[in-house]
Amino acid sequence: MCGIVGYIGENDALPILIDGLKRLEYRGYDSSGIAVCDGDKVFSVKAVGKIAELEKKINEKNPLNPPFEGGQKITLLPKEGEGGFNIGIAHTRWATHGAPTEINAHPHHDCTGKIWLVHNGIIENYQQLKNHLLEKGHKFISETDTEVIAHLLEDLYDDNITETLKKVLKLVKGTYGLVAFHNDEPNKILVAKEGSPLVIGLGENETIIASDVSAILRYTKQVIYLDDGEIAEIKGDGIKIYDANDSEVDKKVNEIEWDMTQAEKQGYPHFMLKEIFEQPETIINSMRGRYIVEEGKAKLGGLDNIADKIRDIEKIIIVACGTAKHAGLVGEYMLEEYAGIPTEIEYASEFRYRQPVIDKKTAVLVLSQSGETADTLAALKEAKGKGVLTLGIVNVVGSSIARETDAGVYNHIGPEIAVASTKAFTSQLTILALLTVLLGRQRNMSLVTGKRIIEELQVLPEKIKKILDTNENIKKISEKYFSMKNFAYLGRKYNNPVAQEGALKLKEISYIHAEGFAGGEMKHGPIAMIDENFPSFFISPRDSVYEKNISNMQEIKARNGKIIAIATEGDEKIKETANDVIYIPKSLEMLTPILASIPLQLFAYHVAVLKGLDVDKPRNLAKSVTVE
Ligand code: M6R
């Protein structure tokens, strides 16, 4: 949830750290801080709020002239003759222990002010460790769990910070992505990982460490992904990585496939709008090379090496959180109707703590855009512990979930930066449809049905473009409704999850209360809330439950509720009941969620903009939820 950047190299650390923080700001943004070491003193600044606040404070405190405006060179290089490297660490925080204040912002340091570190994750036994250190006379400044690591390092320091860190991490329980340095050893920076992502970028005469590749992309595409339990000692002349048993390990260097332009707004006012408009292309990228139309078959390369095992699957449990969970719900309908495989969907946060009864013919499929969601990762580990086949649909290559699953499929949609997930959702649905074809054709699905699904998938990008062309109409509708305090979203069958997803989009970026319901459930309670100030979205394309939807709309109308309908092009009848209609092209019923979700994304976007809110970085949220 928080973002980490670390630097060691021949260039000036500060501009690189600030640039990295800006690129990670979407991960957590209630406070931030930097610490740069020149082998003599440490220059540290922290600020509450966005990175812009941190930049302002750096200008106030910066001993240098001209003031730092971002981008230009800052000379904090090691003193001549010392042969050291420029070192710095930076952090953007999403508060867990202690309020978002300057004091609680990272980096944290020990009593001497020589040991500095930034940390993502949670130290579960911090109180016990803190009590022990307090008894020994250590002075704590913050309320954070992180600070305890700095004092432990100080307490056990034996003139070699690498060896000290190894000892400290044996005492710590919990999760961490950690970057630290000691001012007395200014030629090295230390990195450690347990349950929280960290990537080491290998540049020319410099190494950039980050919790997310987007902070590294500008400098290098060569990266090493650290595994849990590993500690890296990075010096100007090389990197040594140790595993949990203290044995030195040889790590593979990977090439990042994303590029910088994908991580920028490219003229759009917000990442969310850019990502919504990217969907015709991201759907193509999610499908490219993954089907054979004439044979009505899907081929997912990432599952090739477990081809025999997937033939034997008798049940699937899909596990995910948030938007990915809604995609999984659509997947459940697809897999049962078309592949004939009994499928369950479950919140990862629940799955991990109950005792699911899973037999060996069950596969657990996890969905995650980031590949780092703590609950999903823990659920995956729980499933692995039971010895079942684990599969993933993940966007971030090399992420923890991607590496932990037995096999999987990447989304190939580039980085999703806006906190509100949009293009990942439609890509997950696309891949679930391909998976349905793959598994279905191994079972009872006919060639004709397989072909029909693939042909419909192929024309989706054009249909999405048509919906995006109606953006102005959707904006006008949002202008009519944006002052409402409550919304209901209703849909049946494949569009029940779309209703839930539409409500989630609205509440997370506009802070308006919105609930998604299965259309048939309304009369069992929620309809009591309906009046003229409580509008309902109905996702009611011409499908097998169309007439049922119309009846539910009548029930709302009879209680003076306003209705906005998502309907199939050419459906004039719906105008008799709905106050406003947004049309989508006709498609196969199982694929309508991919189309129907797009107007809901745009509606939520426009409402948030009209309310003057920070669309890409809504309050209290973070892009990747790496804590429980
Ligand atoms: O990275 P993941 O797909 O695992 O993330 C899961 C949820 O945290 C995520 O979908 C969240 O609900 C989004 N903010 C929704 O827009």
Side-chain angles (χ1 to χ4, degrees), residues 528-579:
M529 299 185 292
I530 296 298
D531 63 18
E532 66 279 11
N533 294 318
F534 200 131
S536 301
F537 256 100
F538 264 87
I539 299 98
S540 47
R542 283 270 185 192
D543 59 12
S544 62
V545 286
Y546 176 74
E547 296 301 338
K548 307 282 169 207
N549 265 321
I550 296 291
S551 305
N552 295 147
M553 284 165 68
Q554 296 289 3
E555 289 156 14
I556 298 285
K557 198 177 175 182
R559 280 139 188 104
N560 293 326
K562 302 266 183 317
I563 293 168
I564 311 159
I566 310 281
T568 304
E569 276 172 359
D571 181 0
E572 292 298 319
K573 184 181 153 197
I574 207 157
K575 287 186 179 162
E576 292 165 17
T577 324
N579 300 80

Side-chain angles (χ1 to χ4, degrees), residues 354-365:
R354 66 180 185 85
Q355 289 298 324
V357 179
I358 314 179
D359 67 38
K360 296 281 180 242
K361 298 265 167 137
T362 298
V364 170
L365 169 63

Side-chain angles (χ1 to χ4, degrees), residues 320-325 367-373 376 401 418-422 424 428 501 504-505 508 621-625:
C321 301
T323 289
K325 157 88 171 25
L367 307 185
S368 176
Q369 185 285 128
S370 63
E372 301 294 351
T373 302
T376 313
I401 293 175
V419 164
S421 186
T422 53
Q428 284 158 349
E501 174 59 10
L504 177 62
K505 283 291 87 79
E508 73 180 322
L621 295 178
K623 181 66 182 164
S624 172
V625 186

